[in-house]
Amino acid sequence: MRAALPPRGRRVSDLRGETRRVHKELSATPGLVTMVIAALGPEIAGEERAIEEWRMAAELGLPVTAHLGGHGPDSAARGLAFLEANGLLTTPTTFVHALDYTDEQFERIAAAGGGVSVSPVDEMNLGLGYPITGRARAAGIPAGLSADTVVCSPGDMFAQMRTAHLLERGRPDGAGAGFTTRDALRMATIEGAQVAGLGDVVGSLRPGKQADLVLVRTDTPGMAAAQDPIGAIVLNADTASVDTVLVAGRAVKRDGQLLHHDLATVLTSLIETAGTVVQG
C-alpha cells in the first residue's frame, strides 16, 4: 500500500514542506505503508510543477507515479520529451494509462526503466482508449493492473485480470492472440509489484519476501472442474472465491470472513457517505 502525494493546487513551498513532513513520519515508523510522489506535471499541471515534483522525489529517494500519455498524442509526445530533456526519468516513474504513446515512444520509456499502470475497465468504460497492455509489454515495459477509480470500475483484481486478458486477446489487429492467462496473473502479482517498486518485497513466494497470500477456494461449481489453476483464477474466480488472505503473514480474512473489521459498521458508513455524495 502506498501513500500518495501531493494534492492538487498546493504551492511549491507547501508541496516541499508537506512532502518532507510525511516522508519523515513514515520513515520514523516503518510499516506496510510506503510513499510515492503522485505527480501532476507535466501534462496536467505544467512543466514547472513537474520539475519540482520529480526533483523532490529524487531528493527523498521516492518513485513517481503520474497520469502520462493519456491526454492525446501531442501532449504525450511533449510530456515525454520534456521528462527526457530534463533528466527526470532517472527517477523510477510509473506511467498511468499511457494510451497515446507510439511503439517508438514505448521503447524510450522502457530504456529509461519506466513502468506502466493499465486500468482496462476504467479506460474502456470512460472511452479513454484501448488498453496498451500488449504494446507496452512487447516494448519491455513492466505492466501492472489498476482500477484507477472505483466510481466506474470494480476494485478487485479478478475483474481487472479478466478484462485485460479478453481485450488483449481481442485486439482488432490480432496482435494480442499470444497474451495468456499467465500473463494476466503476472500483471496482478509480480509484474505489478515491480511497477510499484515492491518487486523485492511482494508479488511472488520466495524466501525473505513478505508473506502476502490470497487463497482461493476450488470447491465451487465454477472452479471444481477446472484443470488449469491459472486459467481458472483469471477466467472463473471472483471475490466470492477468496477464502483466506494473509498480509505480511497476518491473517486478515479466513473462511471467507474479514477478521479485523466490523463489517456492519463499514457498510453503514459506506451507505451514509454515498448518500451524502449523491445529495451534494
Side-chain angles (χ1 to χ4, degrees), residues 24 41 85 88 129 133 138 151 175 182 199 228 233 266:
K24 181 178 180 180
L88 302 183
T133 307
V151 174
R182 183 179 294 272
D228 174 8
I233 288 173
V266 172

Side-chain angles (χ1 to χ4, degrees), residues 167-199:
L167 289 176
E168 184 61 24
R169 296 275 296 186
R171 271 173 55 178
D173 59 7
F179 188 78
T180 66
T181 52
R182 183 179 294 272
D183 293 324
L185 183 62
R186 280 186 59 84
M187 290 179 67
T189 54
I190 184 59
E191 203 166 324
Q194 291 168 348
V195 172
L198 297 172

Side-chain angles (χ1 to χ4, degrees), residues 118-123 145-150 153-166 184 187-188 234:
V118 181
S119 308
V121 180
D122 185 70
E123 288 161 4
L145 292 171
S146 63
D148 190 48
T149 171
V150 294
S153 171
D156 67 278
M157 279 293 111
F158 296 105
Q160 304 301 333
M161 285 191 293
R162 187 172 299 122
T163 303
H165 179 260
L166 295 176
M187 290 179 67
V234 174

Side-chain angles (χ1 to χ4, degrees), residues 78-89:
R78 285 195 306 271
L80 180 58
F82 170 81
L83 295 174
E84 291 172 325
N86 288 276
L88 302 183
L89 292 183

Side-chain angles (χ1 to χ4, degrees), residues 39-234:
L40 295 177
E43 291 190 60
I44 297 175
E47 296 177 350
E48 181 180 355
R49 174 72 175 223
I51 290 286
E52 293 299 328
E53 290 168 331
W54 264 265
R55 285 179 177 174
M56 175 62 68
E59 176 184 324
L60 297 177
L62 300 173
V64 172
T65 179
H67 284 225
L68 295 166
H71 305 91
D74 291 341
S75 178
R78 285 195 306 271
L80 180 58
F82 170 81
L83 295 174
E84 291 172 325
N86 288 276
L88 302 183
L89 292 183
T90 56
T91 295
T93 299
T94 298
F95 293 68
V96 182
H97 301 313
L99 297 158
D100 296 313
Y101 292 118
T102 65
D103 291 346
E104 184 272 335
Q105 289 164 344
F106 276 136
E107 291 174 0
R108 286 154 55 189
I109 292 171
V116 298
S117 176
V118 181
S119 308
V121 180
D122 185 70
E123 288 161 4
M124 294 299 286
N125 196 22
L126 294 179
L128 301 180
Y130 208 90
I132 48 79
T133 307
R135 292 180 55 228
R137 296 178 85 246
I141 305 175
L145 292 171
S146 63
D148 190 48
T149 171
V150 294
V151 174
C152 57
S153 171
D156 67 278
M157 279 293 111
F158 296 105
Q160 304 301 333
M161 285 191 293
R162 187 172 299 122
T163 303
H165 179 260
L166 295 176
L167 289 176
E168 184 61 24
R169 296 275 296 186
R171 271 173 55 178
D173 59 7
F179 188 78
T180 66
T181 52
R182 183 179 294 272
D183 293 324
L185 183 62
R186 280 186 59 84
M187 290 179 67
T189 54
I190 184 59
E191 203 166 324
Q194 291 168 348
V195 172
L198 297 172
D200 58 345
V201 180
V202 297
S204 63
L205 300 179
R206 294 288 186 275
K209 281 196 172 185
Q210 184 170 290
D212 284 13
L213 301 172
V214 176
L215 305 183
V216 178
R217 301 187 69 90
T218 59
D219 59 351
T220 62
M223 297 288 286
Q227 299 299 309
D228 174 8
I230 293 176
I233 288 173
V234 174

